[in-house]
Amino acid sequence: MIAIECRDVVKRFKSVTALDHMDLTVEKNGIFGLLGPNGAGKTTLIRILTGLITPTSGTCRVMGTDVGDTDSDHRFGIGYLSQDPKYYPWMTGRELLFFVGRLFGMPLADIRKRADELLAMAGLSQAADRKIGGYSGGMVQRLGIAQALFHQPEILFLDEPVSALDPIGRKEVLEFIASLGEGMSVCMSTHILADVERICSSVAIMDEGKVKLVGRTEELLAGVSGGMSLISFASAADAEKMGAQLDLQGVPHVLEADRIRIAADLFEEHRGVILRSAADGKLRLSTITRERADLEEVFVDLIQGGRTYGKR
Amino acid sequence: MNKTLFTADLRAHWSLFLFIQLVLLLYGTISVYMFDPESVDALVNMLQVLPENMVKAMGFDNLSTDLTQYIAGYLYGFIMIIFPIIYIAILSNNLVAKHVERGSIVYLLTTPNSRVRIALTQALYLLITLAVLIGVLTGVVLIMCASLFPGMLDVGRFLLLNLVTFLVLAVVSGIAFFGSCAFDETRWSTALGAGLPGLMFILKMISELNEQLAWVRYLTVFTLMDSENVLAGGSFVTTAVIGTAAAALLLFAGGIALFNRRSLAV
């Protein structure tokens, strides 16, 4: 079941190519993270997928419908929250949801019920009758998500939903997004790697208008040949001695009190020398662990063109 | 038209409407209240002390002892142009370009309402409230004249003057609305929506200040609001009504079509 399908999509703004022959396929259900540095083309892609702009060439389908179709009924299936949502500041949170419900032509009884449900889900029941102008950034974003969910869309697009928020607001909004669960499809763009790792079941990494990598988050992390090995000793003196040995061998490492951090692939390469040195020097090794690579490594290496990815 | 959006527009912009309406009513009621054929003579004599061109530029050159001509000269040469221009420039900018610049247009466009329907609603809001501004003033002036100076106002010609005024201001609204639909940034929308009507108003004043520059009146739509010609009736009025209605229609249709087609920076 496909939620998003883009084929050979190009979008040019005068001399700037925002999307450059981009292909992408996203499965239905779950939270999909669209990751990339600023200017990668994430917002442009979301704007195309929500029908706000049209691609220069190529095709995009969302939930089986060509986004080029101007049939407005298609919009019933899409919810969208922009990066920095602006609402009438004189409206209350509840009034905004009623306004959106009426724009969707919903009956008043349904609007009332749905507004109560979503205000509760967004943790805004207490603030429902306060003016939006007095809301915090996190409250506005949560209200924005509630607004985007109001008509029960099949897919929700969130453009950088937490990038402008303080840590508390970020946590609240991410928890709200995560609570949407597997029952619906969510496409969220961000440049904050930790957020994607935290809540996204699958991810695409974009750069220079192209999708560089796409897959399930766990699979991407498992496929990284990087990561660090951490060698712990019984004492800082033992760690220092091992550090000296590694210096002699010319193996780059970082000494951290009673631990030595070394790139996992270098550890594999020098494993024999390291273990032999420990035995010869009677150094008391406690543990050797491998730290899981994080998405930041995948991202930075991919964008900077460092490593090649392969299964370990 | 979308009634929900129209109602939200009403709530968002009622204070601007009320302010302009009150200013127009203030001037309208004062002008009627002040009417006295004898004092108009005195006022005309006093105005003769001032430079003739300046009086013309302010639109006070047509003050007459005839009530209809007096009101036309007092209200429709300056006040009924400048305040509606302010209203139109601010409102048209807020109705589309400001929504696009702020990004708040997004949640309208992601509802099952087409761009045409959204833009049409905004255009109708502008035109309807402009009609109400003029209509309320017209009604109040009619009531005041009927009670203070029964039978002295030529109601037919006065209504015709208001119709032409509305249509000329509809053209100005069309220009401002087109600008609002054409640009993502309010500074450009304002530049066109306020700048061009403002320039046309200045051209009208220049054409009246200097006879050698009288030809510039052909460059401004406000020439069609010449109360003397409108009250005289005839082909001038027919041309003004047809020309302004067609121009306003084209400008609004063009703005809506442009808004429907172009990529928005949201």
Side-chain angles (χ1 to χ4, degrees), chain A residues 9 75 160 165 282 289 312:
Chain A
V9 176
R75 311 242 172 87
E160 306 266 8
L165 301 181
K282 295 195 168 70
T289 54
R312 269 200 296 261

Side-chain angles (χ1 to χ4, degrees), chain A residues 47 52 75 80 86 103-104, chain B residues 106 109 113 115 264 266:
Chain A
R47 283 162 58 192
L52 292 171
R75 311 242 172 87
Y80 174 57
K86 303 279 188 202
L103 284 173
F104 274 95
Chain B
V106 161
L109 295 179
N113 291 283
R115 286 190 186 194
L264 302 171
V266 286

Side-chain angles (χ1 to χ4, degrees), chain B residues 32 137-147 153-155 158-159:
Chain B
V32 176
L137 179 72
T138 307
V140 168
V141 169
L142 282 174
I143 292 166
M144 281 191 74
C145 289
S147 56
L153 183 76
D154 185 334
V155 175
F158 181 66
L159 290 176

Side-chain angles (χ1 to χ4, degrees), chain A residues 119-132:
Chain A
L119 286 165
M121 254 177 90
L124 291 170
S125 296
Q126 299 296 318
D129 298 310
R130 273 168 45 196
K131 292 206 183 328
I132 297 170

Side-chain angles (χ1 to χ4, degrees), chain A:
Chain A
M1 299 287 273
I2 305 296
I4 300 169
E5 193 175 17
C6 298
R7 290 285 164 264
D8 201 26
V9 176
V10 175
K11 180 63 185 179
R12 291 196 188 90
F13 296 101
K14 294 180 181 165
S15 60
V16 177
T17 302
L19 295 178
D20 187 11
H21 299 279
M22 194 217 70
D23 292 302
L24 177 67
T25 303
V26 179
E27 300 281 324
K28 264 188 187 173
N29 296 336
I31 302 172
F32 174 74
L34 205 51
L35 190 60
N38 292 332
K42 308 183 296 291
T43 297
T44 302
L45 177 60
I46 287 187
R47 283 162 58 192
I48 288 174
L49 294 172
T50 49
L52 292 171
I53 58 173
T54 51
T56 307
S57 64
T59 57
C60 286
R61 293 171 75 79
V62 175
M63 294 297 175
T65 306
D66 193 330
V67 294
D69 289 349
T70 51
D71 177 10
S72 56
D73 286 347
H74 168 55
R75 311 242 172 87
F76 275 115
I78 290 179
Y80 174 57
L81 175 67
S82 64
Q83 193 168 346
D84 181 22
K86 303 279 188 202
Y87 302 111
Y88 292 118
W90 45 265
M91 274 187 184
T92 65
R94 191 187 304 280
E95 281 173 341
L96 175 81
L97 296 184
F98 271 62
F99 175 59
V100 170
R102 282 195 293 262
L103 284 173
F104 274 95
M106 292 166 66
L108 190 62
D110 290 358
I111 292 175
R112 198 169 286 134
K113 190 175 161 214
R114 185 77 178 139
D116 285 341
E117 266 173 31
L118 283 167
L119 286 165
M121 254 177 90
L124 291 170
S125 296
Q126 299 296 318
D129 298 310
R130 273 168 45 196
K131 292 206 183 328
I132 297 170
Y135 279 17
S136 68
M139 289 165 84
V140 172
Q141 287 300 82
R142 282 182 282 140
L143 179 67
I145 296 171
Q147 165 258 305
L149 286 169
F150 201 83
H151 57 294
Q152 298 181 298
E154 289 178 89
I155 185 166
L156 181 63
F157 289 96
L158 306 171
D159 189 7
E160 306 266 8
V162 293
S163 57
L165 301 181
D166 61 27
I168 294 168
R170 225 176 98 194
K171 181 172 172 287
E172 290 170 352
V173 173
L174 285 174
E175 281 172 1
F176 184 30
I177 297 169
S179 75
L180 299 175
E182 292 291 309
M184 75 177 301
S185 304
V186 179
C187 175
M188 176 180 109
S189 79
T190 183
H191 59 267
I192 303 171
L193 302 154
D195 296 346
V196 173
E197 254 190 283
R198 196 160 144 194
I199 65 167
C200 294
S201 51
S202 56
V203 60
I205 297 179
M206 286 186 72
D207 190 35
E208 295 175 340
K210 289 186 177 186
V211 173
K212 300 279 185 177
L213 194 68
V214 63
R216 294 196 66 79
T217 311
E218 284 303 314
E219 287 170 6
L220 287 181
L221 295 175
V224 178
S225 61
M228 301 297 282
S229 289
L230 197 63
I231 312 166
S232 299
F233 294 88
S235 69
D238 286 354
E240 257 181 62
K241 285 177 191 166
M242 177 55 80
Q245 286 296 321
L246 290 171
D247 282 339
L248 284 174
Q249 300 289 330
V251 180
H253 63 279
V254 177
L255 183 63
E256 296 172 349
D258 60 349
R259 299 185 307 183
I260 285 179
R261 196 180 291 273
I262 180 170
D265 45 1
L266 284 175
F267 176 77
E268 293 302 327
E269 194 181 327
H270 296 90
R271 175 192 285 269
V273 175
I274 291 167
L275 293 178
R276 205 173 313 120
S277 300
D280 292 349
K282 295 195 168 70
L283 309 179
R284 286 162 297 164
L285 267 173
S286 300
T287 54
I288 300 175
T289 54
R290 182 156 183 172
E291 290 182 322
R292 198 189 73 148
D294 62 16
L295 209 49
E296 187 168 342
E297 277 184 82
V298 181
F299 181 76
V300 170
D301 285 351
L302 189 69
I303 300 304
Q304 292 180 345
R307 287 189 185 129
T308 308
Y309 295 88
K311 293 277 179 191
R312 269 200 296 261

